[in-house]
Amino acid sequence: KPPREAAFLGSSEMAMPALVATLCTFLVLTPLMLVPGMGQFLFGPMTFAVFFTMVLAYFLSQSLVPSYSGLFLKPHAAHGDAPSRNPFARAFAAWERRIDRVIARYLRGLDWALRHRISVVAGSFLLLAAVVFWLGPRLGREFFPEVDAGSFELAVRAPSGTRVERTEEAVEQVEKFIRQSIPEHDLEMIVSQIGVSPDISSAYTPNAGPMDAIVKVQLREHRTRSAQEYVQVLRTGFAGDPKFRELDFSFDAGGMVRSALNEGKSSPLTLRITGKDQKLSYRVAELLKRDVATVNGVVDARILQRMNYPQFTINVDRAKAAELGLTQQDVMRNVVAACNSSIAFNKRNFWIDPVSKNQYYVGVQYPEADIQSIDSILDIPITSAHQPSTVLLRSVATLTRSTVPSEITHANIQATIDLTLNVQGRSLGHVSADVAKLISKYGQPGASGEWATYDPNAPGQMKLVTGSKIVMAGEYAKMQEMFTSLSFALILAALLIYFIMVALYRSFIVPLTVMLVLPLSLAGVLPMLYFTGTALNVQSLLGIIFVIGINVANTVLMTDLAQVLRRNTAGLAPTEAVRQSAAQRVRPITMTALAAFFAMVPAAFALERGSEANAPLARAILGGLLAGEPATLFVLPALYSLLVRNKPVTSSFDAPDVDHHGPAIQPAT
């Protein structure tokens, strides 16, 4: 054909199949935009980027590319039959001959597959079933891939009530140990946040009191080891050093992205004990902590809340105070002003710096060094507007020691005790499954996956405590929710793809052959993830969805041409039609798969620090392409030959009467 006519016929022949493939890809991605919660932030930008890119690519393929083809390509007859002296032309001709030989070998293999179509189809699905049943339980599961963020945090906790000066001394030893464990060329800086401030800023720190500290470690960009590796070194070192025996440690190396996905929590798995009796819930948490510590992969098990924070209770003799002209409020204000500052209840006094124009509150407070004993508190003078002379606190009140919770956490208004668990050496899904089995002995599973706690005061009895329950929360809960949403989105996308192809093909069988081939991609995805040590997470699931889109496009190319050939050639059997279609479409199908394959190779290796987030997506696509290409080229024709009946074909998107010429290859005998 002349170049312009060839460009017109080629674009006309591919217009509707390309449109169907584009629409099917849209349908695969559209449910991702409907995933609730964090899924919108994860998948929304990527979905829109792919959407607009494919729209533009389709219009370019139907307008600019045919125009350029008709303008720049030369007729084949212009080259003549004589060999060209151009070395590039000769090399290209040799490459084309190699491709023709490869296609000829493929057709011989396809003929064998069509002769043994039942065995090919049955064998492929048996292979898929074997891969799923063998690798499915062994494949790790997590919410988001672990990324080397270049930094990590340590939550350090001393015994309850430790003064901030003592906590600071302990943190100095921790920092010294970190500097000894991490080489200077890998360590950039250490920042420690110790205790809490007696003002509103205490709401923005995870510290619960002066015994807590957060140590943040920043590594250099060009480091020899990852943040996760250094965390393992430090975790082992702190556990084996007797200097840190009284300190509790919890590590967080997930980075900002993982922290955002986990609602700011440092641990991926949280066992939330809810009950009316907080002390009872704490005892259950202690029993749980003892048991879950034996689960393989659980590290840094600790209870966030503590029930033994020391407290002094001021018992005011109200009758005696009233005789002296003092009220409960007067006593409270004087004690708070001495120990904390009068700013806590009086913010009307402030001073503006005339130079910087900054506003400073003005208040009174005892020097911290002067409060050294209980006598220092009992000697606080109490004054009021109705008492002209000062009265010592010991004259109207007594002090008693008691313990209270260091902090109280609520979930749905109910007070909770949180047992946080980190994971090391195993995937979050496997560890969570073992923890769930362990929790089941604490009561009977509820309808929503919750467990009622048992009464520790009645050992050996499964006495259920009314209103008590244990919930597995944190990143694990987010993972379960996201996996459910993505599974539903995938099923919905498959149904939408099938019915749109039914409407366009005017057939229920031809789209069925396409849909049956798509699951065979898992036969490559699961081994690729397993042998590369990659867990099943939201990124790898997204890669599976993209693989489905690519394979749908390739299968549509082959089945569409087979239907057109049957319509334009009277009496052409489905087997011969799909064979001719495969001979003509093997080149574009292979080119599409190779382009996607080589585009994903750099991301799959994840050679740079911090690039681990995209590796599961790329590896899933690579595995899906490795299995999807032979499934499209061999299993799809065999399925088409088995399922499609030999009867006249009608279609709503037949191409114009085009002279379909296959490659210059003699049919295999």
Side-chain angles (χ1 to χ4, degrees), residues 57 90 131 166 187 208 340 380 394 447 497 556 576 578 599 649 652:
R90 294 166 62 183
V131 169
R166 302 291 178 264
L187 180 62
N340 189 15
I380 294 175
R394 67 173 68 246
I497 290 172
V556 165
E576 183 59 27
V578 75
V649 180
S652 60

Side-chain angles (χ1 to χ4, degrees), residues 280-293 303 419 438 441-442 454-457:
L280 175 60
S281 298
Y282 188 83
R283 294 184 63 183
V284 173
E286 289 181 323
L287 295 174
L288 270 174
K289 179 183 176 181
R290 181 197 64 190
D291 291 342
V292 298
I303 303 173
L419 173 61
L438 187 147
K441 77 174 186 178
Y442 282 76
Y454 75 97
D455 189 352
N457 297 319

Side-chain angles (χ1 to χ4, degrees), residues 363-627:
V364 296
Q365 180 183 356
Y366 271 21
E368 291 186 5
D370 291 350
I371 304 178
Q372 296 291 338
S373 64
I374 296 178
D375 290 334
S376 302
I377 299 176
L378 291 175
D379 290 338
I380 294 175
I382 309 299
T383 61
S384 73
H386 303 287
Q387 176 55 262
S389 60
T390 59
V391 177
L392 297 182
L393 178 63
R394 67 173 68 246
S395 301
V396 295
T398 58
L399 264 65
T400 58
R401 295 175 180 268
S402 61
T403 56
V404 294
S406 59
E407 56 184 320
I408 299 177
T409 308
H410 292 83
N412 296 328
I413 308 178
Q414 291 182 305
T416 65
I417 299 296
D418 297 328
L419 173 61
T420 61
L421 311 174
N422 277 336
V423 177
Q424 176 182 305
R426 296 181 69 197
S427 70
L428 176 60
H430 289 157
V431 173
S432 300
D434 291 345
V435 171
K437 293 178 182 177
L438 187 147
I439 293 176
S440 62
K441 77 174 186 178
Y442 282 76
Q444 299 175 355
S448 59
E450 301 167 350
W451 288 269
T453 62
Y454 75 97
D455 189 352
N457 297 319
Q461 300 180 18
M462 300 304 293
K463 179 181 178 182
L464 300 181
V465 180
T466 305
S468 300
K469 59 185 177 181
I470 303 175
V471 180
M472 297 179 64
E475 189 176 329
Y476 166 78
K478 295 290 183 182
M479 179 185 72
Q480 296 292 93
E481 178 184 355
M482 188 63 65
F483 280 17
T484 303
S485 299
L486 286 179
S487 301
F488 175 77
L490 200 58
I491 295 173
L492 178 61
L495 292 175
L496 292 175
I497 290 172
Y498 175 75
F499 285 115
I500 194 173
M501 286 194 295
V502 167
L504 294 174
Y505 276 116
R506 293 186 179 179
S507 170
F508 288 98
I509 301 300
V510 176
L512 183 62
T513 62
V514 174
M515 302 306 298
L516 289 176
V517 171
L518 296 181
L520 297 178
S521 302
L522 293 177
V525 173
L526 299 184
M528 178 65 73
L529 296 178
Y530 179 77
F531 290 112
T532 56
T534 307
L536 190 65
N537 48 49
V538 292
Q539 291 291 84
S540 54
L541 287 176
L542 188 61
I544 293 174
I545 292 175
F546 275 108
V547 164
I548 291 176
I550 296 172
N551 289 337
V552 165
N554 290 338
T555 53
V556 165
L557 285 178
M558 185 176 295
T559 55
D560 166 64
L561 182 56
Q563 291 293 94
V564 172
L565 290 174
R566 292 182 60 209
R567 175 185 178 276
N568 295 339
T569 305
L572 186 63
T575 301
E576 183 59 27
V578 75
R579 184 188 182 280
Q580 294 184 23
S581 174
Q584 296 186 43
R585 292 290 166 83
V586 60
R587 186 189 294 248
I589 289 174
T590 305
M591 289 172 60
T592 303
L594 289 176
F597 184 89
F598 288 113
M600 291 294 106
V601 168
F605 281 105
L607 299 178
E608 295 294 330
R609 298 287 187 186
S611 62
E612 300 90 347
N614 294 325
L617 184 148
R619 292 167 184 170
I621 292 178
L622 291 180
L625 292 174
L626 289 176

Side-chain angles (χ1 to χ4, degrees), residues 89-108:
R90 294 166 62 183
F92 182 76
W95 177 251
E96 285 291 315
R97 288 193 295 271
R98 292 190 184 94
I99 293 178
D100 288 341
R101 287 196 292 269
V102 172
I103 294 177
R105 295 192 188 98
Y106 160 67
L107 289 178
R108 288 195 291 270

